[in-house]
Amino acid sequence: MTDRATGLVARTRSVDETRDLAAALAELARPSDLLVLVGDLGAGKTAFTQGFGRGLGIDEQITSPTFALVRSYTGRLDLYHLDVYRLEQVAEALDLGLSELLDDGSVTLIEWGDTIAPALPHDYLEVHLRFEAPGGGAVDEAAFDLRTIELRPIGPRWSARIRALGAAVAPWAGGDDEPDDGAAAAPGGAGDEQC
């Protein structure tokens, strides 16, 4: 696991691992949390949201809200899933009732949220998903499932949970070959953070 300016970096080798990592992060979710998902088309933002929803105990199938813009799901904590890719102006995000969504005690995940950053509160977890560039030599199909997932807390809510975040993603923080057993987690355990 790499810690860059209070950020954490993990790697997944499949869509299922991306979902599993997100489910582990969902265990840390609290009412009114906001996660901003950043990454290219196909980088795994919806798969991340599916895993996060599973971690919240949501049984309903989570799909991309590209055309609906907002979908809601019920679980241990309710989840709002937004996709703002098609919004052309920040003002359109405000028209979605974003502040009301954030105030009702649900967790909100916003795909392409970096495009509306000026409309967001300054307190969220940025989740940047990137394709890993396959190394030299023969490229097998599995190489295209490699993802780097960088977690960057913005503001106090998620920053106070940085150790718990480190512990949650430790299984995916090992080298490129195998996930480690959690030994690279930040000092302390998931129960250390009280906020």
Side-chain angles (χ1 to χ4, degrees):
M1 171 177 354
T2 304
D3 184 350
R4 285 191 276 169
T6 69
L8 301 170
V9 177
R11 289 179 177 78
T12 61
R13 296 173 297 178
S14 67
V15 171
D16 286 339
E17 279 193 10
T18 299
R19 288 183 183 122
D20 291 344
L21 180 147
L25 289 176
E27 295 296 320
L28 304 175
R30 298 188 180 140
S32 300
D33 275 347
L34 172 62
L35 288 84
V36 173
L37 307 181
V38 179
D40 293 331
L41 281 171
K45 294 180 295 295
T46 299
F48 181 95
T49 303
Q50 291 167 341
F52 198 89
R54 185 183 76 217
L56 292 178
I58 295 170
D59 295 326
E60 189 177 348
Q61 182 179 356
I62 294 176
T63 59
S64 178
T66 300
F67 296 102
L69 297 180
V70 180
R71 294 191 190 273
S72 63
Y73 303 92
T74 301
R76 171 180 66 83
L77 293 171
D78 291 346
L79 174 69
Y80 288 114
H81 180 202
L82 287 72
D83 184 330
V84 297
Y85 179 75
R86 297 192 182 282
L87 297 186
E88 295 181 17
Q89 299 177 1
V90 171
E92 291 179 278
L94 299 174
D95 292 341
L96 290 174
L98 186 56
S99 61
E100 290 83 7
L101 297 179
L102 296 172
D103 287 340
D104 84 347
S106 298
V107 176
T108 303
L109 275 76
I110 305 176
E111 293 189 28
W112 304 98
D114 55 322
T115 63
I116 61 163
L120 298 175
H122 297 288
D123 207 350
Y124 57 88
L125 180 65
E126 182 180 273
V127 179
H128 195 131
L129 296 103
R130 289 187 303 274
F131 294 104
E132 278 282 327
V139 176
D140 63 22
E141 223 172 282
F144 293 103
D145 285 335
L146 299 175
R147 299 284 185 279
T148 297
I149 301 171
E150 184 174 355
L151 306 172
R152 192 168 67 109
I154 308 295
R157 284 182 69 89
W158 285 100
S159 294
R161 290 178 257 172
I162 192 70
R163 288 184 180 188
L165 285 167
V169 300
W172 299 275
D176 292 332
D177 296 333
E178 293 294 325
D180 68 23
D181 62 358
D192 281 1
E193 313 307 322
Q194 302 297 323
C195 77

